[in-house]
Amino acid sequence: MKLRIGENIKSLRKARDITQEALAEMLGVSCQSVSRWELGTCYPDMELLPAIAEIFQSSVDSLLGLDDKAEKEKVQEYLGRFQSAISKGHIQKCIAIAREGVAEYPNHYALLNKLMYALFVSGDDSGNIPEWKENREKYDGEIIALGERILKYCPDQDIRLEATARLAFQHMEMGRKDMGRSIYGTLPSKDSCRENHIWWALEEEEKLPFIQSQIREDYESLRNFIWLLGSSGCVSDQESLVALEKVFELERLICDGKLPPDGWDTARLRFESARLQGRLAQRQAMYEDLTAAAQAARAFDERPESHRYESVLLGTIEEKALDFETADSRPLREIMREKWLSDAAFDAYREEADFLSILAFLQ
């Protein structure tokens, strides 16, 4: 078995901003010795291993790379618990799970990234976190420190890019717009991403799933930007309605009309359409969309653990309830009843029988 102690020492040393000279001084060895360990030309003396492990708050087995399988299994357990918690909007539990994982594996970047994510989401004002504003201030420094550490040392490009985008957004949220925009500018352009170039390196059996996955990603991106146009206030209410209808048309086209009617997006999109119609005094259309939104919200709350659908362009898609991520622990019916329907667009309709019927349906 090949020991990975040299590369482990190097990774741990860099993660803690310890120079080779400083580590050598701590251990009473020459800088050249540390350099040779990291190059893999020799190993540290056996009696030094406990001291090295203590410096890095690690175990000797982990330092030697002998417990990789056990570590992977334990990390997956932490990640599974985290996903279960965030699918239900239990953000404080997410933070606790991530901190527990980081305490055990202080240099595992997947866990560090989840901790950064949980702290960031705890400041989300769209959920039902009463202390979101305090959290945003309280965790600002830790979010920035985690993001900068991941950017500097994480070898996993996907984790690094995810943390980069979140770091930029955190700066934007805290009013540091110039800094956030500068970090956004370091992200690669769409033209240079691997998905645009890897086709030529694929094996035949890889091509169909690759094409379908790219269609799905591009569909979701296009849908989200059209939705943003329709809900951002950048165009008139009438133009916004046209944009949202294009989202429905795009969904029918790409998904062959087979998308299950129990998605959060379905409820929210129908609600956004109803909100615009309420502002435009299009009463009948407003109630049709509100009814569809309420039905989708109930279906979402009662959705199965997983379901599948198929389309020619997307292939077979499996959606799991566990994959949903939210900062709000309430059922969607409650969110719609108590939050969405409080929008001023519905003030003129609140006492009408149809409106009251929808509220009752959402109980």
Side-chain angles (χ1 to χ4, degrees):
M1 177 186 295
K2 180 181 177 182
L3 298 179
R4 298 193 297 108
I5 185 169
E7 58 188 88
N8 287 341
I9 289 175
K10 184 177 181 179
S11 174
L12 291 165
R13 177 179 62 76
K14 286 191 171 184
R16 283 171 169 72
D17 270 337
I18 299 175
T19 64
Q20 288 185 339
E21 291 81 2
L23 180 59
E25 184 177 350
M26 292 179 204
L27 296 169
V29 300
S30 68
C31 184
Q32 290 79 6
S33 294
V34 175
S35 178
R36 286 196 293 270
W37 299 342
E38 295 185 359
L39 290 172
T41 56
C42 66
Y43 298 137
D45 291 339
M46 188 66 69
E47 60 268 21
L48 285 176
L49 294 180
I52 297 172
E54 184 177 355
I55 289 171
F56 295 129
Q57 297 179 346
S58 178
S59 68
V60 171
D61 280 351
S62 181
L63 197 64
L64 292 170
L66 296 178
D67 60 350
D68 281 359
K69 182 178 179 182
E71 178 177 324
K72 287 178 182 177
E73 290 175 352
K74 192 65 183 292
V75 167
Q76 285 305 312
E77 179 189 331
Y78 281 121
L79 295 177
R81 289 167 55 200
F82 184 98
Q83 187 62 39
S84 178
I86 201 164
S87 72
K88 299 177 178 66
H90 298 159
I91 304 304
Q92 287 304 316
K93 188 174 181 180
C94 288
I95 294 174
I97 292 168
R99 288 202 188 284
E100 183 184 349
V102 168
E104 186 167 358
Y105 301 106
N107 298 294
H108 200 289
Y109 289 101
L111 293 172
L112 290 167
N113 188 43
K114 289 299 184 184
L115 177 57
M116 181 190 183
Y117 178 37
L119 296 175
F120 176 80
V121 174
S122 74
D124 187 346
D125 61 351
S126 68
N128 64 333
I129 305 173
E131 66 278 11
W132 67 267
K133 190 175 293 186
E134 292 85 346
N135 288 343
R136 189 177 288 183
E137 294 281 349
K138 178 171 67 173
Y139 294 130
D140 181 40
E142 189 173 2
I143 292 169
I144 299 302
L146 285 165
E148 291 178 347
R149 178 178 171 185
I150 291 170
L151 264 60
K152 190 173 183 180
Y153 298 119
C154 180
D156 187 309
Q157 179 173 286
D158 289 337
I159 292 177
R160 199 166 59 248
L161 292 176
E162 181 183 330
T164 300
R166 190 177 302 119
L167 179 64
F169 197 84
Q170 177 67 17
H171 281 302
M172 302 292 289
E173 289 284 83
M174 299 305 293
R176 301 183 290 264
K177 187 171 183 178
D178 289 345
M179 191 172 296
R181 185 159 185 166
S182 175
I183 295 173
Y184 276 133
T186 68
L187 291 169
S189 69
K190 185 184 295 186
D191 290 340
S192 62
C193 72
R194 66 174 176 265
E195 287 78 7
N196 280 351
H197 302 280
I198 201 171
W199 168 263
W200 312 106
L202 297 177
E203 301 296 340
E204 284 303 314
E205 65 273 13
E206 296 176 307
K207 289 183 178 180
L208 178 58
F210 173 79
I211 291 172
Q212 290 174 330
S213 70
Q214 293 314 298
I215 291 174
R216 183 179 189 188
E217 289 181 13
D218 288 345
Y219 155 61
E220 290 177 349
S221 178
L222 178 59
R223 181 196 63 177
N224 290 341
F225 275 112
I226 296 174
W227 190 338
L228 185 61
L229 176 65
S231 60
S232 64
C234 295
V235 295
S236 69
D237 285 351
Q238 193 60 56
E239 290 172 317
S240 294
L241 268 178
V242 172
L244 294 185
E245 182 53 40
K246 297 298 182 186
V247 178
F248 293 123
E249 292 178 12
L250 183 64
E251 178 183 293
R252 289 189 286 270
L253 173 68
I254 300 297
C255 303
D256 299 337
K258 296 179 180 179
L259 194 66
D262 59 0
W264 187 97
D265 284 355
T266 301
R268 184 68 200 189
L269 193 59
R270 284 294 178 187
F271 170 80
E272 288 291 346
S273 180
R275 184 177 65 85
L276 291 166
Q277 288 157 347
R279 285 163 52 166
L280 292 168
Q282 298 177 5
R283 184 180 180 281
Q284 181 176 348
M286 179 196 77
Y287 277 121
E288 288 175 0
D289 272 333
L290 276 183
T291 299
Q295 290 170 342
R298 170 168 281 186
F300 178 81
D301 290 338
E302 298 170 355
R303 69 196 186 281
E305 290 300 312
S306 68
H307 54 219
R308 293 186 178 189
Y309 65 94
E310 294 183 0
S311 79
V312 172
L313 297 181
L314 302 180
T316 301
I317 302 297
E318 181 176 11
E319 295 186 348
K320 298 179 180 179
L322 195 65
D323 293 335
F324 184 72
E325 298 183 356
T326 179
D328 202 316
S329 60
R330 295 174 293 178
L332 185 53
R333 281 175 292 178
E334 184 178 339
I335 295 171
M336 183 176 174
R337 186 178 69 246
E338 297 183 358
K339 185 176 181 179
W340 296 359
L341 288 173
S342 65
D343 192 283
F346 305 110
D347 285 350
Y349 312 96
R350 295 195 185 283
E351 302 305 319
E352 294 184 358
D354 287 344
F355 194 88
L356 295 173
S357 176
I358 289 170
L359 288 177
F361 179 81
L362 291 169
Q363 291 289 342

